[in-house]
Amino acid sequence: MMGKDDLGLSLSLSSSSHHHRHLPLQLNLMPSSSASGRPPSPPFPCHQTTQWAGLLADSDKRPVLEVCGGAVDARSLPLLRGIDVNRAPSSGAVERDSEEDAGASSPNSTLSSVSGKRAERDTHLGDEHDPDRGISDEDDGDGSRKKLRLSKDQSAILEESFKEHNTLNPKQKLALAKQLNLRPRQVEVWFQNRRARTKLKQTEVDCEFLRRCCETLTEENRRLQKEVQELRALKLSPQFYMHMTPPTTLTMCPSCERVSNSTASTTTTITTTSTSSPFANAPAQPMPEHHQFLHHRTIPGPWAPIPLRPFLDAPPQRS
DNA sequence: ACATTCGCCTGCGTTACCTCA
DNA sequence: TTTGAGGTAACGCAGGCGAAT
């Protein structure tokens, strides 16, 4: 069935039906090549890649044929193999006068019970009983729901349509129903359920993303708490201060007086005559005496790591 | 201009059917 | 053969919108 693979989805949970009725909600469900519109900015970034191939693979199901009120696996009937039971026989297919008619008496209607106001509406969309098309909706008298299984082709076409727009206007719905030989209501329901599946999938992805964020932040918080404790301990024990690996280090060239972050590629020039702090985020202040010392002493070999913060708090001991 | 009604659409929750392990 | 789980077509409802009155 539908794979549990991660999806590159973005969802605006604030969107409501009446809004995307005019500004159709376009979830970022498609591969990046999708040219469809996009939803409002997601509440958080999501960088996963969408893979919907599994959805199409799902459509490879046994066709089911309703025979005398019972569901029969078409594969168990050799004569029915290769026959799409969801499609009308080509010879018997009658061109409908209107698009509404295309759905109302689809062969699938023999498999689906119709009830409720919407069913009435669909039924009223031009359904005259067509004996050539088998059992009408009204003939499905036991009131039980009969489910049809959409054919592979039908599912694929619906998926393609959904990729283009996850909601349908009446014209599109009717055209699609006619193309697929389904009732418009069936197309409508399929899109409803498809949107629901999309949202469910997105919710799962969002939950996983948030869970990972939470884990990362928890770990980061734990690390920072530990660092704070270490720094407090060091402040109380100056003798250990110089032996501590600073949380952030700079590397300075003693000859050119360039300081660079040990991990960064950019360098910052320290000018001994400058009155501003060499630390980007530190307030401007006169150069401390020990800075003068550092800049004038000779440091052999490669650049020596220089603790950043200790400069502001405790002078290094001269050797 | 405003309120009401109607028809339609949507999301959501649920049910029931179907398939498969 | 039975059974339970999972997928999904279909249903019912509530709520919102636009058009008509």
Side-chain angles (χ1 to χ4, degrees):
Chain A
M1 277 308 149
M2 198 149 46
K4 296 295 182 184
D5 48 338
D6 285 346
L7 303 170
L9 312 172
S10 60
L11 170 70
S12 173
L13 296 178
S14 62
S15 64
S16 58
S17 60
H18 59 276
H19 287 146
H20 56 71
R21 191 170 163 189
H22 303 288
L23 292 172
L25 173 66
Q26 293 290 341
L27 300 173
N28 182 20
L29 299 168
M30 309 312 151
S32 56
S33 60
S34 172
S36 61
R38 295 182 66 87
S41 298
F44 44 79
C46 192
H47 303 295
Q48 292 96 332
T49 303
T50 305
Q51 295 181 7
W52 283 100
L55 294 174
L56 292 176
D58 176 45
S59 58
D60 187 13
K61 297 291 186 182
R62 298 184 192 181
V64 175
L65 178 67
E66 171 89 356
V67 177
C68 298
V72 175
D73 185 344
R75 292 200 308 195
S76 67
L77 301 176
L79 292 176
L80 295 176
R81 284 178 187 163
I83 298 176
D84 183 354
V85 297
N86 292 324
R87 292 185 179 279
S90 56
S91 61
V94 179
E95 281 299 323
R96 316 303 298 183
D97 293 334
S98 66
E99 289 177 331
E100 284 87 353
D101 289 341
S105 56
S106 156
N108 297 300
S109 63
T110 66
L111 303 178
S112 306
S113 65
V114 176
S115 63
K117 288 186 296 183
R118 202 178 296 272
E120 291 174 19
R121 192 168 66 237
D122 274 0
T123 303
H124 292 157
L125 282 175
D127 180 14
E128 69 275 21
H129 186 85
D130 186 348
D132 290 338
R133 287 175 164 264
I135 307 169
S136 70
D137 294 336
E138 292 76 17
D139 290 335
D140 191 5
D142 60 355
S144 62
R145 270 195 263 192
K146 298 298 187 296
K147 287 186 65 172
L148 76 103
R149 178 65 65 171
L150 296 176
S151 71
K152 196 173 181 177
D153 288 343
Q154 286 172 323
S155 295
I157 292 174
L158 286 166
E159 282 291 342
E160 284 301 311
S161 181
F162 187 82
K163 285 181 181 178
E164 294 178 11
H165 24 245
N166 61 0
T167 57
L168 291 176
N169 62 38
K171 206 169 184 177
Q172 291 171 323
K173 180 169 67 178
L174 290 171
L176 202 52
K178 187 174 185 178
Q179 179 186 0
L180 299 173
N181 210 3
L182 295 172
R183 282 180 289 120
R185 170 63 180 163
Q186 289 177 292
V187 174
E188 180 181 315
V189 165
W190 187 92
F191 268 74
Q192 287 174 5
N193 289 320
R194 187 64 177 78
R195 284 190 295 269
R197 288 197 294 272
T198 293
K199 186 171 185 178
L200 178 64
K201 208 75 185 172
Q202 177 60 41
T203 300
E204 291 175 0
V205 171
D206 291 351
C207 285
E208 177 63 18
F209 179 81
L210 289 174
R211 190 184 65 79
R212 291 181 182 176
C213 280
C214 185
E215 286 178 358
T216 301
L217 290 173
T218 299
E219 181 58 32
E220 175 74 0
N221 184 48
R222 192 176 296 123
R223 189 185 65 79
L224 291 172
Q225 296 272 13
K226 185 180 177 183
E227 189 173 318
V228 166
Q229 283 186 351
E230 290 173 355
L231 289 173
R232 282 177 177 160
L234 285 173
K235 197 168 186 178
L236 296 175
S237 310
Q239 64 271 22
F240 293 138
Y241 200 76
M242 293 307 296
H243 301 93
M244 170 193 170
T245 300
T248 304
T249 59
L250 293 179
T251 305
M252 186 178 78
C253 172
S255 58
C256 67
E257 297 181 339
R258 283 175 176 268
V259 173
S260 72
N261 189 302
S262 58
T263 58
S265 59
T266 58
T267 58
T268 305
T269 300
I270 297 178
T271 306
T272 55
T273 56
S274 170
T275 55
S276 64
S277 168
F279 307 106
N281 296 325
Q285 55 185 296
M287 180 70 71
E289 184 182 351
H290 60 271
H291 284 197
Q292 304 287 341
F293 158 75
L294 271 176
H295 291 165
H296 288 99
R297 85 177 168 168
T298 301
I299 305 176
W303 292 15
I306 299 173
L308 176 60
R309 295 291 301 174
F311 275 6
L312 306 175
D313 299 326
Q317 293 183 347
R318 304 183 184 212
S319 56

